[in-house]
Amino acid sequence: MPDVVHALEVLPGGSAGPPATGFEVAYIAPDGPELRRPLADAWAVRFEAAAPVRAFASYRRQRNLPGRWWSATKGGHVGYESWLERDQVMLLDFDPAVVGIASQPFWLFWSAANGRPLSHAPDYFARHEDGTAVVIDCRPAERRRPRDWAKFEATEAACTEVGWGFRLLGAPDPVVVRNVRWLAGYRHPRHRVEPVASELLAVFAEPLPLMDGAAAGGESLAVLNGAVPSTLVARAVGGRLGAPARWFARLAGEGAVMAGAGSVLRPGDWVTFNGDEHQVVALAGTAVRLRSAGGAESVVLASYLMAAPDFVVTGAEPLPEMEPSGLLETLPEPTRAAAERWQRHVVEVDTGLLPGAEPGTPPREEYDPATRSLTERMQAKAAELGVSLRTVEGKRSRYVKQGLWGLVDQRATRRWEATGRADARLVAAVREGLDGETHLSTGTRSRLIRRVIKTVEATYADGAVPLPSERTLYKLIDALSTGRHTFGAAEARGLMLPRTLPDPVPPARHEIPPSYISRLATLLGLDIDGLWFQVTQPAYPGAGRRVVVPERLAALTGRSVHALAGAMPELRDPPPDWEMFRHQPQTGCHLCDARHPGGKVVRLLPHHAYICLRHGAWIGPPDIDHLAVDLAPFPEIVDAQRRHLLLLRRYGWAPTYDAVLTALMICAHIWYGDGRPLTDVFGVWNIWDDRVHHLIPLDPEKQDYIAYSASKLFAAVYPEAVTLAPLIASPYWRRLADGTGAEQARFFAEVGKRVTYPYNEPDRGGDAVAHWALADSWRPPSRPLTTYAPGRDRGTLPGLAANRLARQEKSAKWFSRSRRNQGRTLLFHGHLKPVLLRDREPRYVKWEGTIWHSGRTDDLMKEEVARRRKELQAGAAHVRYQRAEDRASSR
Ligand SMILES: [Zn+2]
């Protein structure tokens, strides 16, 4: 089939414009080239093997969460753009009729009735076993707008034309999704356990109730423990056996799997849940006792556990599977014998016969299932043994859930619980090794693993004791050393931390956790990394990035989680809107910080924090650690912060953020520009120069401006920027800036009233105000390019990027050489990037080019802007996505 495709005439991809008639598709062929051709010629293309036609956009404030789903059908990943798409692709993957799935398979182009060019990239293309295909769009019913309907209808018409089906899917049944998500964890071939798998498939060839089928499979109760779902899911879906697939779909649909949770999750399983890894250490009815990788125990309801969005059984590297008799060897002989006796009794109650009874043996009368009910049989057993009916019921129910283990005296199993399903002989070897070690570092831990492996290999026959992966061995050692004071997080570094710190200082407002923890460590003479590891956990399993666990920090400091989260935004739940904060933590007011002992206080400040109003001290945008700036001689700068806050109250943080930044950029351009009139000594330039003269004085000894900081340049123009900002934030003035000639003249006049604005001809180069009116006033406010990412891998405070230091040094040198470059230096500060880079054009590759362009108003720029506006109005989705990609790559 591919040969036929290549023989057809194709157009190179990306050609603009709608097709003259009918539909056209553009796609990326499996061998690489981007192609565009009439849809009628593309019916035979194997779209299920095509690469996505657009990248999965990730942009600030997006409501959706893109990602990739591992598809068992495809044996690889399929992209999704939202949780709805993820759920739908998961269901497709679960559908036995589907043999291939591709996301964003093609762009469809057509013309609307009025000739307007339209395009759409459907979400998925799925190929069925019988060769038919279906195109799928996912959109929640409440978010289907009229414009979307036109696209869905056209897409459906296009599909009909080439013989594909079309489905518009909304939110699927949450119960089915939960079950399928849970089952999906078992679809990996690693879960196929022979010969049980083959037996089960034979038994479940026709739909059967779960317990009946399991009983027919023999070894019924053992089989139930995990083998059923893994085998049947693997076969039902991967192998596309009709009957089990239907059987399972029914089971999933009715939520029966959820009810049977206790029998399929079992002690020893590792699960991911709430962003952390846990091991199931015990089951009791519908409750599951978990122990996290960090050793913390918790009890959750099975239904709650499985409903968690990130719940997965990470059976990837389970503790080694082990025959029950091997596990029993770890128990004292009387305990084991008691369990086995109970097993005989329970089996007799269930089946009427003792285990191992000769064929043809008749059941004892009081245990005959043919004549006695289950309750009657249990009553008979209680009477026989002289125990209560409750005891018999309890034993039987535990046996159903956990097999022979359920019958073992719980006091005797406590030691075992921590090790899950580890081979008893392996556990013994690890215990032996641990006994010889009292102070173990990370290094000795890996030595211990090597020694354990050697012991096991020397003691037992080849392969008699299955050796797990290194990761599992580490976990086993952690589990066994819990309570031994060997390898806790801090202990691993040879340091014992107290349970509660004596006299812990409070965190400062907006402080970042590494700063707070570093101060605590300094004040109490503790190891900072040890402290950090004690109160953090990986951001997600396997992540190097660690985030603070508020409860742990609360326990350590004796302060409530509420109080800690009030001070430190990173600990808030739900997390704050990170866009409100600067992407870089910084030092704040030096006078406020003086009240917080223990060293540098690093905070995550909101975008609008420029001045500490209590102390009249400049904070400004993040810079290299600036010296204290006292603003007492500049009441107008302090006043500007108050006006800034009023603006914030009036317009909200996003328009204010954009307006103040844009105004700062405009002031920087004016300061940099060549419009400075030589005669006008009262112009705004003189005010700015004067402020800088005080803020960055000449050191008479060194004959240099050693107190230089780019942030102080921001302070110099800040009052005028805040005076300009309302014009930029206000929809009224924005409209005038984008209006007729007369309206624009009013806007420029108003700007001239607020700052000395020298340009009478808007077409002159270097005019940032005219540029903003032309290129940006009609667009939504710009947003931060990057946001803060909570957590770091060590407890130390973030250092300064080398390039920032270098740029700072360069600017300081420039400043010393010629004080005429303040405006230029200001423009080059990273703080202004969001307004300068907001519409990144490919040819503006260089940062300097971008700055130059941000003051341009020539004809070429006008054409460029006109083209962009037209594109935006046409609502061409691909243009928007292109832009999201550009933005992603610029970060
Ligand atoms: Zn202060």
Side-chain angles (χ1 to χ4, degrees):
M1 201 180 288
D3 294 337
V4 179
V5 169
H6 286 294
L8 291 170
E9 264 211 58
V10 295
L11 294 161
S15 59
T21 54
F23 293 97
E24 279 184 11
V25 281
Y27 59 97
I28 299 163
D31 53 352
E34 209 179 297
L35 305 171
R36 179 166 166 166
R37 52 161 52 149
L39 176 67
D41 296 342
W43 65 272
V45 175
R46 292 181 61 248
F47 284 110
E48 67 270 29
V53 289
R54 63 179 198 213
F56 288 90
S58 124
Y59 49 92
R60 296 293 128 199
R61 286 186 73 85
Q62 71 188 46
R63 296 160 66 165
N64 299 330
L65 288 169
R68 298 192 312 159
W69 174 259
W70 192 85
S71 154
T73 303
K74 195 176 170 156
H77 288 98
V78 180
Y80 58 81
E81 288 185 315
S82 63
W83 280 357
L84 168 59
E85 285 185 24
R86 180 198 60 187
D87 290 347
Q88 292 292 6
V89 81
M90 184 178 77
L91 292 173
L92 276 178
D93 193 27
F94 193 76
D95 183 344
V98 170
V99 294
I101 308 168
S103 51
Q104 319 273 1
F106 51 78
W107 275 109
L108 191 66
F109 298 99
W110 70 99
S111 302
N114 60 6
R116 233 179 70 184
L118 289 169
S119 62
H120 176 59
D123 292 326
Y124 294 106
F125 180 94
R127 181 72 71 183
H128 291 138
E129 205 175 14
D130 61 3
T132 60
V134 61
V135 170
I136 291 158
D137 266 314
C138 304
R139 186 69 57 94
E142 68 278 9
R143 286 184 50 211
R144 293 172 191 165
R145 296 160 301 174
R147 205 176 68 190
D148 300 328
W149 275 113
K151 289 191 173 180
F152 296 143
E153 276 162 15
T155 307
E156 182 167 19
C159 289
T160 311
E161 210 171 274
V162 287
W164 298 330
F166 174 77
R167 266 190 264 159
L168 176 58
L169 300 175
D173 179 345
V175 174
V176 173
V177 167
R178 255 187 271 161
N179 283 311
V180 172
R181 185 188 302 143
W182 173 73
L183 292 168
Y186 286 99
R187 296 200 47 198
H188 200 276
R190 64 178 171 249
H191 291 297
R192 192 183 164 90
V193 183
E194 288 297 359
V196 183
S198 304
E199 282 172 22
L200 277 168
L201 285 167
V203 169
F204 284 104
E206 285 303 319
L208 267 183
L210 182 62
M211 291 303 285
D212 293 359
E219 299 289 319
S220 64
L221 300 161
V223 151
L224 263 181
N225 284 340
V228 171
S230 55
T231 307
L232 289 180
V233 173
R235 281 304 273 175
V237 184
R240 294 186 292 285
L241 274 186
R246 278 198 304 278
W247 178 84
F248 235 90
R250 187 164 60 86
L251 193 62
E254 288 170 2
V257 172
M258 300 293 295
S263 55
V264 285
L265 249 197
R266 69 175 190 171
D269 275 344
W270 279 92
V271 298
T272 295
F273 159 64
N274 272 3
D276 206 352
E277 275 186 285
H278 305 264
Q279 189 169 30
V280 176
V281 291
L283 298 162
T286 54
V288 183
R289 176 173 281 276
L290 300 170
R291 178 179 290 131
S292 75
E297 291 208 355
S298 52
V299 176
V300 292
L301 284 177
S303 54
Y304 176 73
L305 174 71
M306 291 178 186
D310 61 345
F311 172 76
V312 175
V313 176
T314 51
E317 288 160 317
L319 291 171
E321 201 82 42
M322 148 111 213
E323 73 285 17
S325 59
L327 276 173
L328 287 165
E329 280 167 18
T330 61
L331 296 172
E333 175 56 34
T335 313
R336 195 175 73 196
E340 280 168 353
R341 272 199 305 279
W342 263 111
Q343 183 183 25
R344 292 172 61 81
H345 293 309
V346 171
V347 170
E348 188 173 29
V349 166
D350 266 356
T351 63
L353 291 173
L354 290 168
E358 290 288 317
T361 312
R364 289 200 275 167
E365 198 194 329
E366 62 270 40
Y367 297 114
D368 189 348
T371 56
R372 302 289 161 98
S373 73
L374 178 62
T375 312
E376 284 170 337
R377 294 185 329 253
M378 285 196 290
Q379 272 163 347
K381 188 53 85 179
E384 181 191 333
L385 299 176
V387 296
S388 69
L389 174 62
R390 251 186 96 120
T391 306
V392 176
E393 278 174 343
K395 290 284 183 189
R396 187 184 167 274
S397 111
R398 279 199 297 282
Y399 185 61
V400 168
K401 286 189 184 113
Q402 298 173 35
L404 191 50
W405 273 102
L407 300 177
V408 170
D409 186 332
Q410 290 305 303
R411 283 160 298 180
T413 61
R414 206 142 291 163
R415 248 160 57 96
W416 166 81
E417 277 182 354
T419 61
R421 281 176 280 167
D423 188 292
R425 292 160 290 192
L426 187 68
V427 171
V430 173
R431 282 224 166 90
E432 231 167 76
L434 277 169
D435 285 341
E437 306 274 358
T438 42
H439 302 289
L440 286 166
S441 64
T442 312
T444 22
R445 201 152 69 142
S446 56
R447 272 204 299 284
L448 175 62
I449 287 180
R450 285 199 295 276
R451 207 166 58 234
V452 166
I453 293 172
K454 222 180 245 176
T455 310
V456 166
E457 282 172 349
T459 318
Y460 303 100
D462 269 357
V465 178
L467 283 172
S469 72
E470 198 165 302
R471 185 182 101 150
T472 308
L473 273 170
Y474 272 114
K475 280 181 179 167
L476 183 59
I477 288 175
D478 283 345
L480 287 172
S481 62
T482 306
R484 279 171 178 255
H485 297 290
T486 37
F487 329 96
E491 288 88 332
R493 303 179 51 82
L495 175 83
M496 276 298 294
L497 285 170
R499 210 160 258 285
T500 307
L501 296 178
D503 190 26
V505 294
R509 182 166 164 72
H510 289 153
E511 188 165 13
I512 59 169
S515 164
Y516 179 49
I517 289 160
S518 148
R519 291 197 296 120
L520 285 175
T522 308
L523 289 169
L524 301 167
L526 299 170
D527 173 88
I528 178 173
D529 278 336
L531 200 57
W532 173 253
F533 277 87
Q534 183 168 335
V535 298
T536 54
Q537 67 182 24
Y540 50 91
R545 194 161 63 86
R546 301 180 69 87
V547 291
V548 171
V549 182
E551 291 76 15
R552 288 193 206 161
L553 191 57
L556 196 69
T557 57
R559 294 177 182 279
S560 72
V561 170
H562 185 76
L564 292 172
M568 294 188 276
E570 275 185 51
L571 306 192
R572 287 179 201 165
D573 184 24
D577 183 352
W578 293 117
E579 280 204 335
M580 281 182 52
F581 295 92
R582 292 184 177 138
H583 72 284
Q584 243 159 7
Q586 63 180 112
T587 49
C589 165
H590 60 286
L591 290 168
C592 289
D593 289 358
R595 298 184 303 132
H596 298 284
K600 197 159 87 165
V601 180
V602 181
R603 305 168 193 250
L604 191 66
L605 294 170
H607 289 298
H608 56 260
Y610 279 75
I611 288 158
C612 168
L613 286 176
R614 182 185 300 172
H615 297 110
W618 178 254
I619 301 167
D623 197 356
I624 66 156
D625 290 338
H626 31 267
L627 305 162
V629 184
D630 182 14
L631 297 178
F634 311 100
E636 75 276 20
I637 300 185
V638 179
D639 183 56
Q641 173 72 74
R642 293 201 180 88
R643 290 188 287 127
H644 190 164
L645 293 176
L646 286 177
L647 205 62
L648 186 73
R649 205 170 305 158
R650 171 140 193 212
Y651 293 107
W653 83 263
T656 306
Y657 166 83
D658 170 72
V660 171
L661 242 51
T662 305
L664 281 165
M665 188 265 291
I666 288 171
C667 290
H669 261 293
I670 292 175
W671 205 3
Y672 176 30
D674 55 333
R676 181 191 292 248
L678 290 168
T679 50
D680 182 9
V681 290
F682 300 107
V684 74
W685 300 274
N686 297 74
I687 296 171
W688 291 340
D689 287 352
D690 200 43
R691 285 189 197 133
V692 167
H693 183 72
H694 281 95
L695 288 167
I696 312 176
L698 181 79
D699 185 298
E701 250 173 60
K702 299 212 167 132
Q703 279 298 303
D704 204 352
Y705 302 94
I706 53 164
Y708 174 82
S709 143
S711 185
K712 290 181 182 177
L713 299 178
F714 278 85
V717 299
Y718 181 57
E720 286 68 33
V722 177
T723 306
L724 268 184
L727 296 186
I728 292 154
S730 141
Y732 169 76
W733 285 110
R734 287 180 92 94
R735 193 174 56 69
L736 291 193
D738 186 37
T740 62
E743 285 172 332
Q744 280 194 339
R746 275 187 64 198
F747 172 75
F748 289 124
E750 184 62 29
V751 173
K753 259 190 237 165
R754 295 180 183 225
V755 291
T756 314
Y757 177 57
Y759 308 130
N760 299 319
E761 318 143 48
D763 278 358
R764 204 170 139 180
D767 188 346
V769 183
H771 176 93
W772 180 82
L774 168 73
D776 296 323
S777 62
W778 49 275
R779 283 193 294 178
S782 58
R783 292 185 169 279
L785 281 176
T786 39
T787 52
Y788 180 72
R792 50 196 78 248
D793 54 350
R794 307 205 76 76
T796 40
L797 288 170
L800 281 164
N803 62 345
R804 273 187 72 207
L805 277 172
R807 198 183 304 142
Q808 167 75 12
E809 226 165 80
K810 209 170 138 191
S811 306
K813 218 174 268 171
W814 266 104
F815 187 82
S816 287
R817 213 180 293 167
S818 144
R819 297 196 40 157
R820 299 263 311 178
N821 274 298
Q822 301 100 325
R824 184 179 184 280
T825 311
L826 228 164
L827 279 175
F828 274 83
H829 193 283
H831 196 57
L832 292 179
K833 267 193 182 176
V835 288
L836 289 162
L837 280 182
R838 56 183 300 187
D839 190 34
R840 216 176 94 89
E841 297 294 324
R843 70 195 73 137
Y844 293 3
V845 275
K846 286 257 166 71
W847 183 211
E848 299 189 27
T850 309
I851 289 168
W852 182 71
H853 280 284
S854 65
R856 254 178 79 200
T857 49
D858 52 43
D859 289 343
L860 208 66
M861 174 59 72
K862 283 179 184 160
E863 275 170 35
E864 184 81 31
V865 170
R867 187 180 60 74
R868 277 204 306 263
R869 288 184 81 149
K870 217 170 129 191
E871 271 174 10
L872 213 67
Q873 275 156 7
H878 61 282
V879 173
R880 280 208 300 282
Y881 277 98
Q882 202 73 42
R883 215 164 270 161
E885 266 177 67
D886 281 351
R887 276 170 65 177
S889 64
S890 76
R891 258 181 259 132

